[in-house]
Amino acid sequence: MTAALTPAGLVLSGALDIRHRYYRLLGSLEEAKLAADLGTRAVLDAMSDDCRERMLEHAHAVRGQVIAAKARSKTASWSDTYLSQIVDRSVNGFTSLTAKHAEVYLQLQDSRKVREDLRYLLYRALNLSLVSSRHEGLVSLKTSGNLQWETTAFRSDGGTTASVSVPWLDSLGPLRWPLVVHEVAHYFLPFGDEANDLYTQIAQENGWNADAFEEIVADAVAQRHFGAAYSFALAREGYLYSFRKHVTGGLSVEQRLRALNDPADLLEALPAQWGLAQRNSLGETPEGIPDDQVTDMRNKAEEILSDLARVHELDPHLNREDAVASGIELLLATEPAPAVQKSTAAEAVEKAIAAREADPNAEVADVAQAAVHIPLTDGEIFEAAWRAEVCRDPDELVRVLGSEMTDEVIEIELAEVTKQDIWLARSLQSAAVHRWLVETMALSDAS
Amino acid sequence: MALSTKAIASVGGECDHVRRTPVRTMNGEVMPPTPHRETVISNGQRAMHLQRVNLAVRVSDLAATSSAFFDVTAAGEPSEELNSLIPELRQFVELIGDLQDPPDEARRYRTLIPAEVWRQGTADFGNLSALDEDIGTALDAVEKDEADPGKLRALAERLSALSKAFSELGRGEYDRLMDPQTAEA
């Protein structure tokens, strides 16, 4: 069961997310130790202990605030002060995790490769072909010791290549992978056309800040494939970095989320304590980009994407609400969620009975529909995963965050996070194969 | 003036903290190219920065827990669960004591950083040399049920402000580690 999105729910699930990231780091250290030489293993052992200690410090800091808030409120409502304190603890925990991550990364020569399923996802999201050498040359994905998604571009005789630094820790679990599409979209549009000159030209024609316009288009490209899931990823990542200086383009993360305009429940529940409206600009007008200009930029971005869809004869797909709901149900039962049944067995049998009652000779082939599974899209799987992550019952979150961290709790939670990551990755892979089969069958039927 | 994002390097190759081309980040940041010599951070320097970040975060978190404890206790709502935080407050008292110790002459380089972090974080608070004693005294009074709510509340406010100062210090240190040049701007 999931709960409605609330500011408190977002803050609390955000605090738990930091703990989960520590688990990923701990889990990967254990894995790296297995293949390490004795010296490296000793170093990794020490790092693992230190990482565990930091996680416990973070968990205790959050626990302190949760216990105090519970004592003061005695009800389900949370005062702004405590929410603010919990956000502060989360950002602190993330800052400390970032430092630890940078340190651990230096010791992990052998496991630094970006996973291939992340690359496949990127190719699907941008309608690139895995067998095109031109497309292969567009992007270089590299893991990074920084916990921040970054991109730069290089030009050679063969054209431009976007080099994306994927935070190594984020490469281990798929939840934040929609962010990679945003990164690449700074330089390429879906189907692989170079975008930089186009962004600059449009921005100049309209008197806009080119950096801000580029940001809005890159958001729209990511949203095109992932729908609401991208907004969840952006909001969650955005608040952890909202304290940082030098944001350029004059846009706040909140403005970008409002431009995406979906999902309504997330926009409604964005906690003020996340500080997403903040603009820490360097050398720019302090007032930033006016909202109406952001709307114009967004309209232009939609126009670009509609033109592309028309040229390539692609229908835009929206995440189906019922498919997302079924996906959430499966993920919460810690099952993979690659597909949903076309209809339930009960529904199909009822239909068949009704058909037979109306006409004893009627075909009852509909019964077979109960066995047919429809693959979910990447967007639907990610939205299901994000909703399962953030729409947790606040009482349950308070219980988890307010509990003592024993060895047993750590072991269980670590196993849970690992399992969730594996199921999510497998869901994405098997759904992709399933969709490919369905499309191939449709093509062969048509011919 | 917005930094240009359109300059694209004709040569590749970057090491962790040396950017030869502008870098675009998830939050819309554009980090400018950084000159090579000035910004190479050695492992030793990095370790020093990381130590500063961790220490600032640790002080901030423990100060926040202590503040929350005294705030709730001052409101007269003690509970067994709340008392389970007392060991952390004792840890904080100990940590403050350690941070105020003069640097160890035998290992001056290593012990200088904690003292420096403490000095920086408390710079705006006047003399905090008795903070550990104040917390210890307040804790003893709470345990004997003799605490003055007004004094507890005042202590909670001081600790809350201290927590904020150290969390800003930690984030600033982190910023400097990630982006040494522009963080100073």
Side-chain angles (χ1 to χ4, degrees):
Chain A
M1 274 294 288
T2 55
L5 272 178
T6 59
L10 284 169
V11 167
L12 294 170
S13 59
L16 192 58
D17 165 56
I18 304 298
R19 195 196 292 183
H20 287 178
R21 294 190 201 214
Y22 271 109
Y23 284 135
R24 288 190 186 100
L25 195 54
L26 276 171
S28 60
L29 275 167
E30 289 306 312
E31 234 172 77
K33 274 197 284 188
L34 297 174
D37 59 80
L38 288 179
T40 310
R41 199 178 303 167
V43 172
L44 295 176
D45 257 334
M47 286 195 160
S48 183
D49 290 348
D50 192 43
C51 183
R52 195 183 169 95
E53 203 178 304
R54 299 253 172 279
M55 183 194 68
L56 285 173
E57 282 171 6
H58 163 69
H60 287 152
V62 173
R63 180 171 176 266
Q65 298 305 321
V66 168
I67 288 175
K70 264 167 63 184
R72 285 308 290 269
S73 62
K74 303 274 186 204
T75 65
S77 70
W78 285 69
S79 82
D80 285 351
T81 314
Y82 285 109
L83 287 181
S84 186
Q85 280 293 344
I86 290 170
V87 170
D88 227 26
R89 305 286 70 78
S90 300
V91 178
N92 268 4
F94 184 68
T95 307
S96 190
L97 172 71
T98 307
K100 183 53 47 196
H101 178 257
E103 207 181 321
V104 167
Y105 185 73
L106 287 175
Q107 302 294 332
L108 296 171
Q109 299 286 355
D110 296 334
S111 32
R112 287 180 171 193
K113 231 174 154 239
V114 169
R115 284 164 54 160
E116 283 303 295
D117 47 346
L118 169 55
R119 184 187 309 278
Y120 296 160
L121 176 76
L122 173 69
Y123 276 53
R124 289 200 296 277
L126 288 175
N127 303 85
L128 302 177
S129 164
L130 280 167
V131 291
S132 156
S133 51
R134 186 181 82 82
H135 286 174
E136 198 187 330
L138 299 182
V139 184
S140 162
L141 295 174
K142 291 280 177 289
T143 55
S144 153
N146 292 346
L147 272 188
Q148 194 164 11
W149 295 75
E150 297 175 327
T151 324
T152 186
F154 295 84
R155 180 166 285 160
S156 67
D157 293 342
T160 301
T161 298
S163 171
V164 184
S165 298
V166 178
W168 176 69
L169 191 60
D170 287 345
S171 76
L172 303 175
L175 205 58
R176 276 164 273 271
W177 290 359
L179 300 175
V180 76
V181 176
H182 167 96
E183 289 302 317
V184 176
H186 275 290
Y187 299 97
F188 297 105
L189 286 169
F191 302 97
D193 286 335
E194 273 196 43
N196 250 228
D197 291 346
L198 179 73
Y199 296 153
T200 311
Q201 184 198 330
I202 294 173
Q204 275 173 355
E205 283 168 7
N206 291 278
W208 296 335
N209 178 315
D211 293 333
F213 178 56
E214 196 174 303
E215 209 66 56
I216 294 291
V217 185
D219 283 343
V221 172
Q223 185 189 37
R224 166 188 164 273
H225 190 72
F226 296 107
Y230 175 68
S231 304
F232 282 113
L234 175 62
R236 181 63 92 62
E237 208 62 9
Y239 97 86
L240 292 171
Y241 279 107
S242 55
F243 70 89
R244 289 204 69 191
K245 291 173 189 160
H246 328 304
V247 175
T248 60
L251 284 172
S252 66
V253 174
E254 187 170 325
Q255 275 183 309
R256 289 169 58 190
L257 286 164
R258 302 268 171 226
L260 289 167
N261 199 26
D262 182 57
D265 56 349
L266 172 67
L267 297 178
E268 181 75 23
L270 285 177
Q273 293 79 8
W274 274 3
L276 296 174
Q278 204 169 315
R279 292 188 196 98
N280 282 323
S281 56
L282 176 73
E284 286 161 0
T285 46
E287 66 272 17
I289 310 283
D291 288 348
D292 54 348
Q293 202 177 93
V294 177
T295 309
D296 293 342
M297 290 178 179
R298 167 70 183 185
N299 291 340
K300 193 67 193 171
E302 281 178 1
E303 205 182 290
I304 295 171
L305 293 180
S306 308
D307 286 348
L308 266 178
R310 202 169 36 251
V311 170
H312 293 276
E313 294 177 355
L314 266 190
D315 291 330
H317 56 76
L318 299 170
N319 292 353
R320 294 160 295 180
E321 214 173 297
D322 54 340
V324 172
S326 306
I328 297 172
E329 222 172 289
L330 286 169
L331 289 171
L332 286 179
T334 50
E335 296 275 343
V340 288
Q341 277 184 300
K342 201 165 184 179
S343 61
T344 64
E347 244 175 55
V349 170
E350 266 174 32
K351 262 190 181 175
I353 292 171
R356 273 294 168 89
E357 278 173 357
D359 174 5
N361 297 318
E363 291 280 330
V364 288
D366 278 357
V367 176
Q369 294 296 313
V372 174
H373 279 68
I374 308 171
L376 297 181
T377 64
D378 289 329
E380 287 160 352
I381 294 170
F382 271 112
E383 185 177 347
W386 270 105
R387 287 194 179 276
E389 164 98 1
V390 298
C391 301
R392 295 180 59 165
D393 176 10
D395 290 343
E396 171 62 8
L397 282 167
V398 166
R399 190 194 61 73
V400 172
L401 293 168
S403 300
E404 286 272 13
M405 296 287 286
T406 61
D407 287 348
E408 196 191 352
V409 168
I410 294 173
E411 205 176 305
I412 292 170
E413 289 187 351
L414 172 60
E416 196 63 33
V417 171
T418 310
K419 195 160 65 176
Q420 280 165 7
D421 285 347
I422 293 173
W423 282 157
L424 181 53
R426 288 196 183 160
S427 304
L428 292 164
Q429 285 169 42
S430 31
V433 174
H434 193 163
R435 283 195 307 274
W436 176 75
L437 279 173
V438 170
E439 282 160 21
T440 312
M441 281 160 67
L443 277 176
S444 68
D445 285 350
S447 61
Chain B
M1 192 187 79
L3 298 162
S4 166
T5 61
K6 307 301 175 292
I8 296 172
S10 57
V11 287
E14 287 188 337
C15 66
D16 270 355
H17 292 283
V18 184
R19 279 191 305 281
R20 294 180 197 138
T21 61
V23 170
R24 157 91 51 205
T25 72
M26 197 46 228
N27 281 345
E29 294 166 275
V30 179
M31 297 174 176
T34 46
H36 198 139
R37 285 187 191 151
E38 284 79 352
T39 56
V40 170
I41 292 185
S42 69
N43 282 346
Q45 281 173 306
R46 187 200 299 262
M48 213 165 70
H49 267 293
L50 295 178
Q51 191 187 354
R52 295 173 77 92
V53 170
N54 284 330
L55 194 58
V57 165
R58 178 104 185 99
V59 173
S60 167
D61 280 349
L62 284 173
T65 302
S66 309
S67 168
F69 174 85
F70 290 125
D71 182 52
V72 176
T73 309
E77 287 163 12
S79 68
E80 209 174 298
E81 208 177 22
L82 191 71
N83 287 343
S84 71
L85 301 177
I86 291 176
E88 278 177 67
L89 272 68
R90 297 276 182 210
Q91 261 181 44
F92 189 36
V93 171
E94 210 175 301
L95 177 65
I96 296 172
D98 290 347
L99 292 173
Q100 289 179 335
D101 278 349
D104 178 352
E105 286 306 321
R107 289 195 176 275
R108 193 171 168 75
Y109 178 70
R110 288 187 194 177
T111 51
L112 204 60
I113 292 171
E116 173 66 11
V117 170
W118 178 252
R119 191 193 58 74
Q120 270 183 292
T122 55
D124 295 336
F125 291 87
N127 185 11
L128 280 182
S129 57
L131 185 65
D132 50 349
E133 281 169 29
D134 291 349
I135 297 171
T137 311
L139 265 179
D140 292 342
V142 168
E143 281 174 333
K144 287 182 198 149
D145 208 11
E146 292 168 357
D148 170 356
K151 280 186 183 167
L152 290 185
R153 215 165 284 125
L155 183 58
E157 275 168 27
R158 270 170 82 199
L159 288 165
S160 173
L162 190 73
S163 166
K164 206 168 169 45
F166 272 92
S167 78
E168 271 164 25
L169 180 67
R171 289 162 206 182
E173 285 296 334
Y174 168 75
D175 242 2
R176 266 186 283 282
L177 173 69
M178 295 292 125
D179 193 20
Q181 196 182 49
T182 49
E184 302 302 335

